[in-house]
């Protein structure tokens, strides 16, 4: 080796022959040493391998010796189907012996890992992803997530080895070199898939109901009439009969939330940290579009269009079912917002955008639900008016034969109270918390106004006054079931007024 170095200093013209022979001998000896190292590695002779590397260290072919070692130690190491587990085990085994063979074991370990990542892992990952990239977005995204996760987990295991100075940066660069072409357009694939998948989930549901979605807010005279009818009690033609169908589905909601949850998880793992809040916001916006607008808002709008006018007979009031289901869905929506979106945007300017978007959509829904509840209460009062109009007779409070009258509440009162109790149960089942109290109070106030105005239409005999008091006592008993102080107070006052009739 020293002779080779000295020969390089000699003038080529005079010593070309000598230099050529020394170079040839140097090369032959180097090849013999590398072959000896190769044979020793195959026989598992660590001591002999160390001896040879000590000699080769001063030869130019030392790096070739390292290459041979790296190539041979991988032979037979990948016999199972799990390339990541095999790699971890291989590096564990090599790390135990590399210090006994080479003078700079950290350099050899780093070169081994680089070789595995750039050739074996990159080839495997490319084969897996390219297979699905153009044909199956769902499988592609899932494979990308799984492969990236397993690669980063492998990198964490490799951090325990001595790889030189900055092993964190070294491993990060290896991972980036494999995935950079897939990660740079990841979010576009994610958004495209999520939009397509969400649309399919909704379409499949409406198809199962044999329902063609109406265009809400599509303009035109029909739309104008519908909106006027929704906001007033003007009779502008019949309401839309949906036969009690709410067009809200727990299965649809669960599927949309599950798809979005998986998208958030992929987004967290696959997005560059600087892009994470922006990407998460795009996913959230799609959830708002498909769950809140295309599904909940559509159902609420359709439900509003299905609320009959207050003067309709035998009205089927199912809007409260929509309120009940919408409340349940919003609880689930809120939970996903807090559990899966907030951690991704909490320390970025996108947080305020997300909160504002959620606030806007929630308030928009609340306005429409309140409108529907208000119109439903009007319909309930309308139904009670029909009952009173059909069942209450003038002779109820001015009987022809006052000596032959049974002192008890009238048939009209019994039917109205039965109807009210049924609606009370429905309201309580449809809402929770303070919403129940506020709706019951409003219903109770309107109930009182109806009875008060109804009783003013009649003239009363002495015995008829007693019967009216019986009716009001029964209404008051019904009012107690509201469990709202103001409602009971109103009926107490009405009961006191009726005593003046006697």
């Amino acid at each position: 080796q020293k002779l080779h170095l000295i020969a390089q200093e000699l003038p080529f013209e005079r010593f070309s022959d000598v230099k050529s022979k020394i170079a040839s001998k140097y090369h032959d000896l180097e090849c013999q040493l590398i072959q000896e190292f190769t044979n020793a590695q195959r026989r598992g002779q660590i001591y002999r391998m160390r001896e040879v590397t000590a000699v080769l260290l001063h030869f130019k072919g030392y790096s070739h010796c390292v290459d041979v070692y790296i190539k041979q130690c991988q032979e037979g190491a990948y016999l199972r189907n799990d390339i990541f587990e095999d790699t971890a085990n291989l590096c564990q085994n090599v790390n135990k012996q590399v210090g006994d063979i080479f003078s700079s074991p950290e350099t050899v370990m780093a070169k081994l890992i680089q070789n595995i990542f750039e050739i074996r892992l990159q080839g495997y990952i490319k084969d897996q992803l390219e297979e699905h990239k153009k044909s199956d977005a769902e499988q592609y995204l899932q494979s990308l997530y799984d492969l990236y996760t397993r690669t980063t987990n492998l990198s964490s295991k490799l951090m325990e080895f001595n790889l030189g100075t900055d092993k964190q940066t070294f491993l990060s660069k290896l991972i980036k070199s494999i995935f950079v072409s897939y990660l740079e357009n990841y979010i576009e694939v994610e958004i495209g898939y999520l939009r397509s998948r969400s649309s399919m989930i909704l379409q499949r549901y409406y198809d199962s109901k044999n329902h063609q979605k109406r265009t809400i807010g599509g303009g035109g005279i029909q739309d104008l009439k519908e909106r006027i009818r929704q906001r007033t009690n003007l009779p502008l033609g019949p309401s839309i009969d949906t036969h009690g169908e709410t067009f809200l589905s727990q299965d649809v909601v669960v599927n949309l939330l599950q798809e979005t949850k998986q998208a958030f998880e992929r987004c967290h793992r696959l997005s560059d940290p600087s892009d994470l809040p922006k990407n998460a916001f795009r996913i959230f916006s799609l959830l708002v579009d498909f769950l809140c607008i295309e599904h909940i808002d559509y159902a609420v709008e359709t439900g509003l269009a299905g609320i009959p006018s207050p003067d309709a007979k035998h009205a089927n009031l199912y809007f409260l079912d929509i309120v009940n289901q919408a409340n349940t869905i919003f609880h689930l929506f809120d939970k996903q917002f807090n559990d899966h979106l907030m951690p991704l945007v909490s320390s970025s300017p996108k947080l305020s955008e997300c909160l504002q978007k959620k606030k806007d959509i929630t308030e928009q829904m609340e306005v429409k639900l309140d409108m529907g509840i208000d119109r439903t209460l009007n319909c309930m009062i309308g139904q009670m008016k029909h009952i009173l109009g059909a069942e209450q007779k003038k002779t109820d409070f001015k009987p022809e034969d006052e000596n032959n009258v049974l002192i008890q509440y009238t048939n009209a009162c019994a039917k109205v109270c039965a109807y009210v109790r049924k609606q009370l149960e429905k309201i309580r089942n449809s809402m929770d918390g303070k919403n129940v109290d506020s709706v019951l109070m409003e219903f109770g106030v309107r109930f009182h106004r109806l009875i008060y105005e109804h009783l003013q239409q009649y003239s009363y005999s002495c015995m008829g006054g007693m019967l009216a008091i019986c009716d009001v006592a029964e209404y008051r008993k019904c009012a107690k079931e509201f469990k709202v102080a103001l409602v009971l107070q109103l009926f107490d006052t009405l009961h006191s007024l009726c005593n003046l009739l006697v």
Side-chain angles (χ1 to χ4, degrees):
Q1 193 267 341
K2 287 181 181 178
L3 191 59
H4 183 257
L5 287 175
I6 293 168
Q8 287 179 336
E9 302 295 325
L10 296 173
F12 182 77
E13 294 81 2
R14 290 176 58 193
F15 300 99
S16 60
D17 239 10
V18 175
K19 287 180 75 170
S20 176
K21 287 177 182 177
I22 292 172
S24 177
K25 190 65 179 174
Y26 177 90
H27 179 70
D28 289 345
L29 185 57
E30 192 177 59
C31 288
Q32 287 171 26
L33 286 168
I34 290 171
Q35 187 58 50
E36 179 59 26
F37 179 86
T38 304
N39 295 337
Q41 185 178 359
R42 284 175 179 158
R43 292 192 295 266
Q45 296 173 329
I46 302 297
Y47 177 75
R48 183 59 182 150
M49 291 165 73
R50 183 168 63 246
E51 283 184 329
V52 175
T53 55
V55 176
L56 272 170
L57 185 60
H58 304 290
F59 282 76
K60 289 182 178 178
Y62 177 74
S63 62
H64 186 55
C65 175
V66 174
D67 292 340
V68 168
Y69 176 76
I70 286 171
K71 181 183 176 185
Q72 287 203 158
C73 69
Q74 294 182 61
E75 290 176 2
Y78 291 92
L79 298 176
R80 294 179 295 179
N81 288 329
D82 193 337
I83 191 173
F84 298 96
E85 196 61 37
D86 285 340
T87 297
N89 291 337
L90 169 62
C91 292
Q92 191 77 48
N93 294 334
V94 169
N95 189 61
K96 290 174 185 174
Q97 64 174 220
V98 73
D100 296 333
I101 302 170
F102 297 96
S103 57
S104 302
E106 69 281 359
T107 308
V108 178
M109 278 301 295
K111 199 166 183 181
L112 168 66
I113 289 169
Q114 184 174 354
N115 179 273
I116 292 170
F117 269 71
E118 290 180 350
I119 296 174
R120 197 173 290 270
L121 271 183
Q122 184 153 354
Y124 173 79
I125 288 166
K126 184 179 179 183
D127 288 345
Q128 295 289 307
L129 293 178
E130 294 297 328
E131 182 184 347
H132 305 297
K133 192 171 184 180
K134 293 178 181 176
S135 59
D136 189 340
E138 180 181 15
Q139 189 59 53
Y140 169 75
L141 287 167
Q142 194 54 49
S143 295
L144 179 59
Y145 174 79
D146 290 342
L147 291 167
Y148 189 80
T149 300
R150 298 196 72 192
T151 306
T152 51
N153 289 345
L154 173 62
S155 174
S156 299
K157 291 179 183 177
L158 301 179
M159 282 288 288
E160 70 182 74
F161 306 128
N162 182 5
L163 305 176
T165 49
D166 191 354
K167 51 189 173 184
Q168 176 72 58
T169 304
F170 170 70
L171 290 167
S172 295
K173 282 182 178 176
L174 290 178
I175 293 172
K176 187 176 179 181
S177 70
I178 293 175
F179 287 99
V180 63
S181 64
Y182 303 109
L183 296 184
E184 61 188 8
N185 72 334
Y186 147 72
I187 193 60
E188 301 306 327
V189 179
E190 184 72 81
I191 293 297
Y193 165 71
L194 192 57
R195 181 179 284 113
S196 167
R197 178 71 178 163
S198 300
S199 179
M200 189 204 77
I201 289 169
L202 287 178
Q203 192 56 53
R204 192 168 57 193
Y205 167 71
Y206 295 120
D207 287 347
S208 74
K209 296 289 180 184
N210 201 21
H211 175 72
Q212 181 68 43
K213 277 188 84 174
R214 297 166 56 242
T215 303
I216 303 295
I221 191 67
Q222 195 57 42
D223 181 63
L224 177 63
K225 284 171 68 177
E226 175 56 31
R227 293 196 172 273
I228 293 172
R229 199 186 67 76
Q230 286 180 14
R231 286 159 177 72
T232 67
N233 293 325
L234 297 176
L236 299 174
S239 61
I240 295 168
D241 188 2
T242 56
H243 306 288
E245 176 59 63
T246 63
F247 291 111
L248 286 170
S249 163
Q250 199 81 2
D251 287 343
V252 165
V253 173
V254 168
N255 286 337
L256 288 174
L257 290 174
Q258 181 63 21
E259 290 291 344
T260 312
K261 176 187 170 186
Q262 290 172 355
F264 280 136
E265 288 171 353
R266 289 192 291 263
C267 177
H268 190 195
R269 174 70 71 180
L270 301 173
S271 295
D272 186 274
S274 61
D275 293 331
L276 177 58
K278 178 178 65 177
N279 291 347
F281 181 74
R282 289 183 68 183
I283 291 171
F284 173 62
S285 297
L286 273 186
L287 178 64
V288 170
D289 287 346
F290 283 97
L291 176 64
C292 300
I293 297 172
E294 291 294 326
H295 192 54
I296 306 174
D297 187 64
Y298 176 75
V300 172
E301 287 274 9
T302 304
L304 283 170
I307 298 174
S309 62
D311 56 358
K313 292 183 180 180
H314 312 298
N316 181 16
L317 302 177
Y318 72 93
F319 190 81
L320 291 180
D321 295 335
I322 294 176
V323 175
N324 181 24
Q325 287 178 263
N327 280 335
T328 303
I329 294 168
F330 257 95
H331 285 312
L332 295 173
F333 172 73
D334 202 46
K335 186 174 188 320
Q336 181 161 102
F337 183 91
N338 294 324
D339 292 353
H340 299 286
L341 176 63
M342 283 292 283
L344 308 186
V345 298
S346 57
S347 55
S348 83
K350 283 289 176 186
L351 173 62
S352 57
E353 278 190 64
C354 291
L355 290 170
Q356 188 60 47
K357 195 174 186 72
K358 177 171 171 268
K359 181 172 179 280
D360 291 345
I361 196 70
T362 303
E363 287 177 353
Q364 180 185 324
M365 291 295 174
E366 284 174 350
V367 166
K368 291 182 180 181
L369 290 172
D370 287 347
M371 187 195 303
I373 290 168
D374 179 68
R375 292 181 56 228
T376 298
L377 293 180
N378 279 343
C379 282
M380 289 177 181
I381 298 302
Q383 295 300 295
M384 290 151 69
K385 268 186 184 175
H386 280 304
I387 294 170
L388 290 170
E391 300 293 333
Q392 198 89 72
K393 300 177 179 64
K394 287 186 178 181
T395 54
D396 284 347
F397 301 124
K398 210 168 184 181
E400 294 171 358
D401 183 1
E402 297 212 356
N403 297 319
N404 190 23
V405 175
L406 194 59
I407 306 297
Q408 64 174 22
Y409 53 83
T410 63
N411 190 47
C413 170
K415 288 194 173 182
V416 165
C417 287
Y419 180 82
V420 169
R421 288 186 174 100
K422 188 177 174 184
Q423 303 316 310
L424 281 178
E425 183 182 1
K426 206 164 192 178
I427 292 170
R428 286 200 172 98
N429 289 338
S430 302
M431 290 165 226
D432 52 21
K434 292 180 181 177
N435 292 332
V436 178
D437 296 337
S438 59
V439 171
L440 286 180
M441 184 169 77
E442 185 59 34
F443 183 37
V445 169
R446 296 186 194 189
F447 173 32
H448 167 266
R449 189 185 305 129
L450 171 69
I451 300 304
Y452 178 75
E453 291 173 356
H454 173 71
L455 291 174
Q456 285 184 318
Q457 298 174 34
Y458 295 91
S459 356
Y460 300 87
S461 65
C462 185
M463 186 58 68
M466 293 288 291
L467 291 170
I469 290 171
C470 288
D471 271 12
V472 173
E474 187 61 23
Y475 290 135
R476 184 168 162 267
K477 187 176 169 186
C478 186
K480 276 186 181 179
E481 296 179 29
F482 282 71
K483 296 179 183 175
V484 176
L486 174 64
V487 176
L488 184 57
Q489 185 185 335
L490 288 170
F491 277 92
D492 281 345
T493 305
L494 183 60
H495 190 263
S496 300
L497 284 171
C498 284
N499 284 326
L500 299 175
L501 292 172
V502 182

